[in-house]
Amino acid sequence: MRADTLETFLSVALDAAEHHATDDRSRASLAMIRERLSDIPPGEHAADAEMPPVVSQWLGPALRNAPQAPRLAPLLQAIRHIAPELRWSPKPSASEEVRERHANAMLVGPGGWENRPDVWIGLSLLAPDLRYPDHDHAPEETYLVLSGGEFRVGTPDWFTPGPGGSFYVPPGYEHAMRSGEEPLLALWMLKA
Ligand SMILES: [Fe+2]
């Protein structure tokens, strides 16, 4: 069984990610993710949701800034609905500033609400004017950006996908993000 809120979220998130994908590698990855998600692992998620101050303060403004495009509106609504049920966590190894002004929620994935190794799906929220550290990981990743903010993948060059913008991160590529004057909100989907 999968909770209704999570099922709804995953359905609209995949629809939005597929609609906005611009890279064939993202399309292939998302198709595989959709197939894998039809298998629901047994087990319940740990019900220890908590909303850190950065989420209480900045998720509302981030959602209000997001465009009401037809394929994004249901996703924004699903995020609004599911946010209080999520376990938002800081990046433990990061600086104090990043720990206080950023939060991640892992909905599906290792240690996530739906605990599984093969698919990771989650949200990142950055308060304004914050640089998230460079990072890399073995699973390939597709981002769907829901706000302003800049990103870089594998090169020093920053780009601005904009709300509804999508890009692909190959396995092991270093990548990073930074917010500007507004909070940054992004959905990520990884295939291990
Ligand atoms: Fe990543």
Side-chain angles (χ1 to χ4, degrees):
M1 275 294 288
R2 185 179 272 156
D4 286 346
T5 45
L6 182 58
E7 180 64 33
T8 300
F9 177 90
L10 293 175
S11 168
V12 298
L14 261 175
D15 285 350
E18 286 172 343
H19 179 76
H20 289 276
T22 54
D23 191 306
D24 284 343
R25 296 167 297 178
S26 287
R27 292 191 186 94
S29 185
L30 294 169
M32 186 70 83
I33 287 172
R34 183 178 281 282
E35 192 181 315
R36 289 183 180 177
L37 286 179
S38 61
D39 265 339
I40 303 174
E44 299 280 301
H45 79 104
D48 56 353
E50 58 174 302
M51 199 175 262
V54 62
V55 180
S56 314
Q57 185 176 358
W58 292 111
L59 183 61
L63 290 169
R64 279 194 294 279
N65 289 343
Q68 299 297 316
R71 295 295 180 116
L72 288 184
L75 173 58
L76 301 173
Q77 183 58 31
I79 293 173
R80 202 171 274 120
H81 194 61
I82 205 169
E85 294 187 57
L86 299 179
R87 192 195 320 167
W88 294 88
S89 28
K91 187 177 173 65
S93 58
S95 68
E96 189 177 335
E97 186 193 22
V98 172
R99 278 187 276 124
E100 283 179 3
R101 305 189 65 240
H102 154 267
N104 262 351
M106 176 92 83
L107 286 85
V108 168
W113 177 334
E114 183 167 302
N115 184 17
R116 61 189 300 158
D118 57 340
V119 175
W120 310 4
I121 295 175
L123 296 164
S124 288
L125 177 68
L126 275 66
D129 296 316
L130 184 68
R131 163 83 154 87
Y132 187 84
D134 296 353
H135 65 289
D136 61 77
H137 37 68
E140 62 181 1
E141 179 170 30
T142 296
Y143 273 87
L144 176 58
V145 181
L146 301 170
S147 67
E150 294 183 306
F151 294 79
R152 62 176 203 85
V153 179
T155 75
D157 303 325
W158 293 90
F159 60 97
T160 307
S166 171
F167 62 92
Y168 175 80
V169 182
Y173 269 51
E174 188 178 77
H175 51 293
M177 55 188 161
R178 65 185 182 195
S179 53
E181 289 178 2
E182 295 175 353
L184 184 159
L185 178 64
L187 169 80
W188 30 267
M189 296 187 165
L190 291 79
K191 181 182 76 66

